[in-house]
């Protein structure tokens, strides 16, 4: 079997369920604490003469998130019935990363090349690499889709999408 793949198509365990539960619970606990602290900055969790202060509802939502997350974290770390099973194996993780990492790169590239150029690159590469289409078909469809999006947003609706800091399509757009 290639790349640590087990019989039946499963890979080696990459992460245990209890580990993922603990990490997510810790992140959510941190988020809850941030919401609680920021709600105090907004006006606190108090009732004023004309109703709740601006931090009232965020405070209690943050408190619920923090308490729930703390309980899940304690259960994941010290509970008697901790789930030690495999959350994800290496084959599944590789599949998820083959979509997640290009999506992250796409968002970063939008910053520099704008929505249209980044989307054309993203669609073409996805079609060729993951979809196993030929380069000509991938590039042709990516350009066609983005040309239609350009016409729809920029020309017909007159709603410009983000052009990027390098603005590679400035020659197509009159003025924003």
């Amino acid at each position: 079997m290639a790349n640590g793949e087990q019989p039946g198509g499963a890979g080696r365990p990459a992460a245990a369920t209890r580990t993922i539960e603990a990490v997510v619970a810790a992140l959510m606990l941190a988020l809850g604490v941030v919401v609680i602290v920021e709600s105090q900055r907004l006006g606190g969790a108090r009732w004023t003469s004309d109703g709740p202060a601006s931090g009232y509802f965020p405070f209690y939502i943050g408190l619920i998130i923090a308490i729930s997350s703390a309980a899940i974290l304690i259960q994941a770390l010290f509970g008697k019935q901790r789930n030690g099973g495999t959350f994800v194996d290496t084959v599944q993780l590789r599949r998820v990363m083959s979509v997640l990492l290009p999506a992250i790169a796409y968002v970063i590239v939008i910053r520099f090349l704008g929505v249209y150029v980044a989307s054309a690159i993203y669609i073409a590469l996805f079609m060729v690499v993951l979809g196993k289409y030929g380069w000509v078909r991938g590039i042709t469809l990516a350009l066609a889709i983005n040309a239609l999006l350009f016409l729809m947003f920029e020309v017909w609706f007159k709603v410009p999408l983000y052009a990027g800091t390098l603005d590679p399509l400035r020659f197509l757009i009159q003025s924003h």
Side-chain angles (χ1 to χ4, degrees):
M1 300 278 152
N3 297 329
E5 196 171 317
Q6 305 289 326
R12 293 185 316 265
T17 300
R18 71 173 166 251
T19 304
I20 300 300
E21 286 177 352
V23 168
V24 171
L27 291 171
M28 292 302 293
L29 177 59
L31 175 69
V33 170
V34 167
V35 170
I36 289 169
V37 169
E38 288 300 308
S39 71
Q40 295 302 314
R41 192 177 62 79
L42 283 175
R46 58 186 169 76
W47 200 265
T48 64
S49 61
D50 60 340
S54 56
Y56 184 84
F57 291 111
F59 174 82
Y60 287 105
I61 290 170
L63 189 62
I64 291 168
I65 291 171
I67 291 170
S68 303
S69 300
I72 292 169
L73 181 60
I74 290 167
Q75 179 183 353
L77 294 176
F78 308 111
K80 291 181 181 179
Q81 296 181 353
R82 293 181 295 186
N83 187 346
T86 301
F87 179 77
V88 65
D89 64 42
T90 54
V91 172
Q92 295 167 331
L93 186 60
R94 196 174 305 116
R95 285 186 197 140
V96 170
M97 290 297 131
S98 72
V99 174
L100 179 63
L101 295 178
I104 291 169
Y106 168 65
V107 171
I108 293 168
V109 171
I110 286 175
R111 171 85 171 125
F112 301 102
L113 299 181
V115 173
Y116 301 115
V117 175
S119 295
I121 293 169
Y122 184 70
I123 291 169
L125 288 176
F126 243 79
M127 288 183 69
V128 171
V129 175
L130 291 178
K132 308 291 186 221
Y133 290 95
W135 281 101
V136 172
R137 180 181 277 178
I139 292 171
T140 302
L141 283 172
L143 292 175
I145 289 167
N146 282 281
L148 286 172
L149 289 173
F150 179 84
L151 286 172
M152 184 171 62
F153 285 105
E154 302 285 337
V155 177
W156 299 328
F157 293 151
K158 306 253 187 264
V159 176
L161 297 184
Y162 184 67
T165 55
L166 300 176
D167 196 8
L169 299 178
R170 71 179 144 268
F171 65 94
L172 293 174
I173 304 167
Q174 313 257 319
S175 64
H176 281 79

